[in-house]
Amino acid sequence: MQPAPSPPAEATGDAERHRTLLAVNNAIIANLTREALFQAVAGALRQVVPFDRAAIFLHDPEKDVLRLFVLESAWTSRYFVVGLEMSPRESHIGWVFQNRRPLLRRDLARDREYAMEDRALEDGVRSYIVVPLVARSEPLGVLAVASRTVGQYSEADAAFLQEVANQVSLAVDNMKTYEAMQAEMARRRRAEDRLRTVVEATAATTGEHFFSSLVRHLAAALEAPYAFVTECVGHHRARMLAFWRRDRLAERLEYDTSATPCLAVLAGEVVHHAAGVQALFPEDRDLAELGAESYTGVPVCDAEGAVIGHLAVLHDRPVAPDPGGLGVLKVFAARAGAELKRLQAERQLQETLREVEQLKNRLHAENVYLQEEIGREHNFVEMVGSSPALLGVLRKIEQVAPTDSTVLIVGETGTGKELVARAIHDRSARRQRPLVKVNCSAISAGLAESELFGHVRGAFTGALERRLGRFEVADGGTIFLDEVGELPPETQVKLLRVLQEREFEPVGSNRTIQVDVRVIAATNRDLEDAVRCGRFRADLYYRLDVFPLVVPPLRDRRGDIPQLVTFFLTRLARRFGRPVATVPESTMARLMRYPWAGNIRELQNVIERAVILSPGPVFELGDDLLPVAGRPTAGPPAPPPASPAGLRTIGEIERAHIIAVLEHTGWVVEGPKGAARILGLHPNTLRSRLARLGIRRERPESS
């Protein structure tokens, strides 16, 4: 039997080529990871064509470049390394990618067109083949083989390499699909981890530690070095509730959002900046030092959708928008909104409780004060009378009461200065608030400041609790400083500050309290004389003497005595259950003649004693209660014994000189031609001296 004839050489070549393609396909089809696939491709290419260097360039759509993945190289190159990028439009690699056609160079020294080919020649390449990688009609990149031998490759080699590239294209496409699936699975795992972190962060803590836990877990979930949460505190202002800074919490206070991306977030937008964050915070030195490169912020809203703060993360590298990360941010922001609203409600409740406590303390202090007033015998009486002197005082009360001016009431003891103060307060806009009385002469020097301005617990020995001062109790009302001339000098300084600035500090406290109090002061002393003697501050005197009001003594309003007697007699008789109702004319005449050095208070006391002692309905006034002759109603009291050798004392000389001036002026005290102007004294000072020296003008008795 003759042997079978040998197949033609062309048939043998086709069979070998198909066997090689099948071997290449078998080598690469099972490899899905990038590293394993490229190693399999390199091994398979050795069965197809000889080469000194083989490489794959894959297209990056985001940057629009062809990036090098070296398969194998027989020598080390300075430029031909993994990561080399070439433009699709300015290189021989890009030409193949754009035109989807193979490119063959048999002698690179003679035939080259692009700058990158010059670099390849310098690197030792003498010939090469580059073929496109195309899958599903979409270009993926190129496959290239190169040799240091001139004329190494032919057109047949290029055509065969293209067939191999078609197999490689399918494998690369499968690899990219596999990588996309792996990336999606990783993204889902990260999303699950983030959601788990959300649950852990929002369920583990509450209250004051919630926000620090929130930003810590948020930074971990988004792999961000920085995260912070804020609260709106005003126009274009936010307060940091917590700031996470690389594994630690950093202190942050309020800041202005005007020149920052936070402003847009607080307006209700979701904001992302992939780079250049430092430029967005021009005045924030801390953020400039962080080296942050990207920023993502979302609003924090309450249940009604109102923006009450914002939540943000910062990365120290450019970061593209991540839908999964943005979803996590929104979940965290929703939880932060609920907690922040609860915190604000708690703050409001605490503030309300503080206000209620302050109001309760104030009402308690007012109640204590009023109880003290009720228990104190202050001899309150109506302002009874119709004399010209009293009517003049009442007219001034009507004029000054509606204003908030400070009033200085001057008058002798017992003339009813407190009644004048009460009348001013009752006719003012402050009548719904208390009139708080302070008897300055009854307070010891060491306790005057505490009495007026209060003290805190522990301010001094015996200060066992917080005490509200009279000024704080009188806030919104009126304070009546009786006998203000008796205040110690150190208290006068604080009183001056209250009059000037409407504020003070309680004893032992550095907290300033502002009050709205009208001040009415009263004195029976000559404050001008006290200023000259250094016992009273001049600046305080002028602050008090805004509206001086002089209350006349009873001897200057004798016509009011019958009305006062009737008023006191009626009230006291009812109080003691006595039938006293009639006052004999002789008794009334004695009361009219009496000088009443103690003024209305002395008159009331005399009538009270007489009511108690009167056995029947007739008001009887015994000689022991009121001397029959009394003191003369006109002229000076009995002169003191004469000085030796007929000389007079200084008091006698002063008294005689004042009487002479008064007779010269017709007993006119005030005015440009009055005695006070001639003597160089204030009218009130002159009146005080007239009372002290017992100088009175003789005039007919009033009935």
Side-chain angles (χ1 to χ4, degrees), residues 109-151:
R110 289 190 304 110
D111 186 14
R112 61 185 185 277
E113 183 178 349
Y114 298 97
M116 295 304 296
E117 290 182 297
D118 294 335
R119 297 193 65 179
L121 179 63
E122 294 173 0
D123 205 36
V125 175
R126 292 296 178 267
S127 60
Y128 68 76
I129 303 173
V130 182
V131 294
L133 298 174
V134 180
R136 291 180 287 186
S137 302
E138 292 294 329
L140 302 177
V142 300
L143 173 64
V145 293
S147 173
R148 287 182 286 187
T149 303
V150 175

Side-chain angles (χ1 to χ4, degrees), residues 332-353:
F332 271 74
R335 183 65 180 90
E339 184 65 19
L340 180 54
K341 192 64 179 178
R342 190 197 65 78
L343 179 63
Q344 290 176 342
E346 185 177 299
R347 287 183 193 154
Q348 184 63 39
L349 177 60
Q350 291 175 350
E351 183 64 27
T352 302
L353 291 176

